[in-house]
Amino acid sequence: QVQLVESGGGLVQPGGSLRLSCAASGFTLDRWLIGWFRQAPGKGREGVSVIDGRSGLTYLIDSVKGRFTISRDNAKNTVTLQMNGLKPEDTALYYCAAGSSILPLNRLSPQSYAYWGQGTQVTVSS
């Protein structure tokens, strides 16, 4: 059974850091594209970062470049999103998702991903 489980969310002050993990079971990450998405209250789901499990190539949206880093550990079947310099506007429910055969044009589209975790809440507030 394919399963993704996120962890690492929490409450942090502006400028703080969190490390989100996405643990996969039932499949191996090295054959999938793994994306981190977030959804703030009243807003749509937004793609934040993507990593190719096979090549390791990564992509980050402009608003998190220089602050967030995505990485993978294929031995542990885990993808991590390191978030530094957090801002209140980063507050959201964060999800990881897995998909395959996704064109680069569609890598940030939630509809391109077949499997989703349950999400982990990130709150940035003083």
Side-chain angles (χ1 to χ4, degrees):
Q1 181 181 359
V2 173
Q3 191 174 16
L4 295 169
V5 178
E6 303 96 334
S7 61
L11 172 64
V12 64
Q13 292 185 344
S17 298
L18 284 173
R19 186 178 180 89
L20 304 185
S21 291
C22 173
S25 59
F27 69 103
T28 53
L29 290 174
D30 61 359
R31 299 185 180 187
W32 294 75
L33 200 67
I34 306 299
W36 280 99
F37 294 79
R38 64 187 180 186
Q39 188 164 16
K43 296 187 176 181
R45 194 164 295 190
E46 175 190 36
V48 175
S49 183
V50 173
I51 186 166
D52 186 311
R54 183 187 301 272
S55 68
L57 289 175
T58 64
Y59 180 81
L60 295 158
I61 58 174
D62 287 345
S63 62
V64 305
K65 283 181 180 177
R67 300 189 297 125
F68 291 11
T69 303
I70 188 170
S71 61
R72 79 198 194 289
D73 185 334
N74 286 350
K76 295 182 179 179
N77 224 28
T78 301
V79 170
T80 297
L81 185 68
Q82 177 67 44
M83 306 188 297
N84 300 325
L86 283 162
K87 303 176 181 180
E89 52 263 43
D90 295 317
T91 294
L93 188 59
Y94 282 70
Y95 300 90
C96 67
S100 63
S101 302
I102 301 173
L103 296 175
L105 179 67
N106 298 324
R107 58 191 165 189
L108 292 179
S109 172
Q111 292 79 4
S112 299
Y113 292 78
Y115 301 105
W116 291 82
Q118 82 290 347
T120 185
Q121 179 67 39
V122 172
T123 303
V124 185
S125 175
S126 55

